[in-house]
């Protein structure tokens, strides 16, 4: 059966019911892969992970206005619907849900979901209301679909932990499946926003992973502050002019880390290259 494209809630429910009760029979499980489109290799890996775990795979494409700040790139976010559908279908996606803004946020919509503590640090500190937008759309998509599994990438590590907390605290019966960050041949974390980089900026961005790996290699022998300074100085030397943050936190809960207990640490960074904001994180 070829992929089914649905654009409203009724279509989504009908399609899911047909797939669950159809040739796959009633016990069929469903995995959702939420995306903002501009499908790339990392999204394809998420689909493959969904397929490995569930009988039916639902991808969603929705550029969520609620998670963008006023001066951010909502209006220029790359769109390639036709190509996206082909790529998702070729990876075995069964249903693609492409709602418009009115479908998700109809007149009178007045709700936001917040995971306040985890959302107050790192990207949340720099992008106020961003994670509230993410939590609201993810909650809606999980409830609309009734998915048994949802797949998210470690590239957005803070988002992943926030969504795990959200699902747990709201008792949503959906298992969150993470996948590791997918990188290109230079180690750059693949992102739809990499499209914004010209050749010169791309060359600068190619240093990010090397610098982070170098910090990981030397982490054991340095204190936290020296590691952070090393990364910051290396970023500046490589031509990155604006550093949003460089922080080291606990991988399991994003708590701050002390030199007394440097275990289970992750390095989190956000930088601007020209106007493009890139984020990354690695285990130290
Ligand atoms: P986006 O379309 O950028 O909102 O991302 C949709 C999903 O893909 C999220 O779960 C992201 O964490 C995940 N994702 C995006 N880029 C990567 C990557 N390079 N590696 C792993 N997951 C990714």
């Amino acid at each position: 059966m070829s992929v089914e494209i649905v654009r409203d809630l009724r279509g989504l429910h009908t399609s899911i019911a047909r797939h669950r009760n159809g040739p796959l029979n009633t016990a069929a499980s469903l995995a959702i892969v939420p995306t903002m489109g501009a499908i790339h290799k990392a999204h394809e890996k998420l689909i493959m992970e969904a397929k490995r775990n569930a009988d039916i795979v639902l991808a969603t494409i929705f550029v969520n206005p609620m998670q963008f700040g006023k001066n951010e790139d909502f209006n220029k976010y790359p769109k390639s619907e036709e190509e996206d559908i082909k790529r998702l279908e070729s990876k075995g996606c069964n249903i693609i849900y492409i709602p418009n803004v009115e479908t998700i946020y109809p007149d009178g919509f007045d709700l936001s979901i917040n995971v306040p503590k985890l959302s107050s640090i790192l990207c949340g500190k720099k992008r106020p209301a961003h994670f509230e937008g993410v939590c609201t759309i993810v909650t809606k998509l999980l409830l609309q679909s009734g998915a048994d599994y949802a797949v998210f990438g470690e590239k957005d590590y803070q988002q992943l932990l926030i969504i795990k907390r959200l699902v747990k605290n709201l008792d949503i019966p959906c298992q969150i499946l993470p996948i590791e960050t997918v990188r290109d041949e230079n180690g750059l974390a693949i992102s739809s926003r990499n499209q914004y980089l010209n050749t010169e900026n791309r060359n600068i961005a190619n240093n990010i992973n090397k610098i982070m790996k170098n910090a990981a290699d030397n982490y054991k022998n340095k204190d936290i502050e020296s590691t952070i300074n090393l990364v910051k100085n290396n970023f500046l030397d490589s031509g990155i002019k604006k550093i949003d943050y460089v922080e080291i936190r606990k991988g399991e809960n994003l708590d701050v880390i002390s030199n007394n207990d440097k275990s289970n640490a992750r390095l989190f960074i956000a930088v601007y290259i020209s106007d493009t904001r890139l984020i990354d994180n690695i285990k130290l």
Side-chain angles (χ1 to χ4, degrees):
M1 198 159 59
S2 62
V3 70
E4 195 166 351
I5 314 295
V6 294
R7 295 182 188 272
D8 58 21
L9 197 49
R10 194 186 159 97
L12 178 69
H13 286 162
T14 310
S15 178
I16 291 173
R18 193 165 37 238
H19 278 83
R20 282 208 195 255
N21 300 323
L24 293 165
N25 86 46
T26 49
S29 57
L30 173 70
I32 186 171
V33 180
T35 83
M36 296 206 295
I39 296 303
H40 49 60
K41 221 168 80 187
H43 295 124
E44 291 177 347
K45 286 256 169 78
L46 294 165
I47 299 289
M48 285 152 70
E49 181 64 8
K51 260 205 120 40
R52 224 166 52 80
N53 286 277
D55 303 304
I56 310 159
V57 175
L58 161 70
T60 68
I61 298 177
F62 182 64
V63 184
N64 176 31
M66 195 175 165
Q67 71 188 66
F68 285 78
K70 246 201 203 136
N71 299 316
E72 294 183 350
D73 56 342
F74 176 70
N75 286 320
K76 70 165 187 174
Y77 199 84
K79 290 194 179 61
S80 49
E81 188 178 301
E82 223 173 289
E83 185 60 24
D84 289 353
I85 291 171
K86 277 191 210 138
R87 290 186 75 156
L88 292 168
E89 181 171 25
S90 77
K91 292 292 160 207
C93 205
N94 304 99
I95 311 167
I96 308 177
Y97 179 37
I98 316 177
N100 61 22
V101 173
E102 290 69 37
T103 299
I104 296 292
Y105 303 119
D107 253 5
F109 185 87
D110 185 18
L111 173 86
S112 73
I113 308 280
N114 198 6
V115 178
K117 250 198 218 149
L118 277 176
S119 301
S120 65
I121 52 174
L122 300 171
C123 283
K125 202 166 165 185
K126 301 290 176 174
R127 303 180 70 190
H130 168 67
F131 287 119
E132 222 169 302
V134 170
C135 288
T136 305
I137 184 63
V138 170
T139 304
K140 287 203 77 161
L141 293 173
L142 296 186
L143 295 180
Q144 287 185 345
S145 64
D148 306 289
Y149 302 93
V151 194
F152 292 91
E154 283 189 350
K155 156 144 186 303
D156 302 279
Y157 195 90
Q158 184 178 12
Q159 169 177 284
L160 173 65
L161 290 201
I162 288 172
I163 289 167
K164 279 187 177 168
R165 182 70 55 89
L166 159 85
V167 164
K168 190 165 180 217
N169 289 175
L170 270 178
D171 308 305
I172 299 177
C174 177
Q175 190 180 331
I176 304 303
L177 304 171
I179 70 152
E180 279 184 11
T181 302
V182 182
R183 300 179 181 282
D184 70 10
E185 62 282 4
N186 297 301
L188 180 64
I190 294 176
S191 162
S192 308
R193 291 190 168 99
N194 293 353
Q195 289 184 33
Y196 300 149
L197 301 171
N198 63 20
T199 311
E200 186 191 346
N201 291 334
R202 172 75 67 152
N203 286 337
I204 295 174
N206 286 342
N207 293 300
I208 293 174
N209 188 242
K210 278 180 223 132
I211 292 169
M212 293 177 75
K213 267 170 108 177
N214 178 42
D217 291 343
N218 292 295
Y219 179 64
K220 260 203 309 238
N221 314 316
K222 286 187 183 297
D223 63 26
I224 302 289
E225 206 175 309
S226 313
T227 305
I228 289 174
N229 286 335
L230 174 76
V231 173
K232 283 185 175 169
N233 288 332
N234 286 343
F235 278 164
L236 294 172
D237 290 345
S238 74
I240 293 171
K241 296 199 181 75
K242 190 170 164 200
I243 298 170
D244 216 14
Y245 62 75
V246 173
E247 292 194 37
I248 296 173
R249 288 179 175 265
K250 285 276 183 197
E252 69 272 26
N253 55 16
L254 303 185
D255 277 357
V256 286
I257 227 157
S258 76
N259 287 314
N260 298 331
D261 174 16
K262 289 169 62 188
S263 64
N264 199 14
R266 284 190 94 87
L267 171 65
F268 296 89
I269 70 99
V271 297
Y272 281 91
I273 299 183
S274 190
D275 290 335
T276 304
R277 187 173 185 275
L278 301 177
I279 60 169
D280 203 343
N281 69 91
I282 59 167
K283 191 168 166 31
L284 290 175

